[in-house]
Amino acid sequence: MAGKRKTADQDLRAEILRLIQEPKYRPLDKIEIADALGYGAARRNEVRRVLRDLEQAGEIARIRKNRYVLPDAADLVTGTLSVHEAGYAFLTNEKPGQSDLFIAAENTGTAMHGDRVVARIIRGAEFSRARKPRAEGRVIRILTRANETIVGTLQQTRNFLLRRHGRSATRSQHLCAAVVN
């Protein structure tokens, strides 16, 4: 039974990638993708599961209004974030041979060192202001966290902040903490 499901998922995965790679493809949401592939409402959960797996693998990306595209078509890069003490970061591209992406401190959002993220290229290497020209981006989605647990001191300010222990307090090490009433 598990073997049949795995084969069915691989077939559906191939169908979805084929659809998204078509030259006339326009970004579709999960229901529209299911309809385009001829899957009825009863099989939409399969489509959702495979779309989630493809997104986690970095093969497709979810953009505004939960529509799916190929990352290259939307200037998106998937990779692992390396955060510097000063707050800026570099995104190591998952595709071999591709250069790193610079992420300014104000563009890291709540992503932390080691997180696997999707970033949008906001300035190409040819327009870089750095000595060593490289593209610049902004984190738009965190796919997986490197650390599930963070130890620190919760400080009450206007927006509660969590200060991590063991390091100097830089902008990248402050995290917005949700307050549960």
Side-chain angles (χ1 to χ4, degrees):
M1 184 74 177
K4 285 183 181 180
R5 182 176 176 185
K6 196 177 254 188
T7 304
D9 282 357
Q10 289 173 345
D11 292 343
L12 180 55
R13 183 184 190 108
E15 284 183 65
I16 290 171
L17 287 173
R18 197 173 316 116
L19 173 69
I20 292 176
Q21 291 170 347
E22 287 179 0
K24 293 184 180 181
Y25 175 79
R26 65 174 179 73
L28 302 173
D29 65 21
K30 56 190 164 199
I31 293 171
E32 294 168 332
I33 288 174
D35 291 344
L37 295 174
Y39 285 80
R43 297 187 65 196
R44 282 195 188 132
N45 283 338
E46 294 174 51
V47 174
R48 284 188 191 113
R49 186 178 58 251
V50 172
L51 285 170
R52 185 179 55 244
D53 293 345
L54 285 167
E55 183 181 7
Q56 286 295 320
E59 294 183 54
I60 62 173
R62 190 165 27 114
I63 59 172
R64 278 180 278 136
K65 298 183 182 177
N66 290 322
R67 297 180 183 281
Y68 293 90
V69 296
L70 291 173
D72 293 341
D75 289 331
L76 300 175
V77 179
T78 303
T80 304
L81 203 62
S82 297
V83 180
H84 187 271
E85 209 173 281
Y88 63 85
F90 292 97
L91 181 69
T92 306
N93 198 327
E94 288 181 347
K95 291 186 179 176
Q98 299 290 323
S99 61
D100 291 352
L101 188 66
F102 173 76
I103 311 282
E106 62 271 10
N107 292 327
T108 59
T110 60
M112 295 182 291
H113 182 76
D115 288 352
R116 194 163 162 266
V117 301
V118 176
R120 180 177 304 279
I121 298 171
I122 57 175
R123 180 178 292 129
E126 61 275 8
F127 301 109
S128 175
R129 297 176 290 197
R131 281 176 279 172
K132 181 181 176 186
R134 62 169 41 130
E136 187 175 332
R138 181 179 72 245
V139 173
I140 61 167
R141 180 164 288 113
I142 299 168
L143 296 175
T144 54
R145 289 275 187 194
N147 299 305
E148 294 294 322
T149 306
I150 302 166
V151 178
T153 304
L154 187 63
Q155 297 179 336
Q156 185 173 0
T157 63
R158 198 175 67 127
N159 304 319
F160 286 85
L161 292 176
L162 178 70
R163 178 169 284 178
R164 292 178 65 187
H165 291 289
R167 292 188 171 177
S168 60
T170 63
R171 186 244 172 252
S172 67
Q173 295 163 345
H174 289 250
L175 306 170
C176 294
V179 179
V180 180
N181 292 330

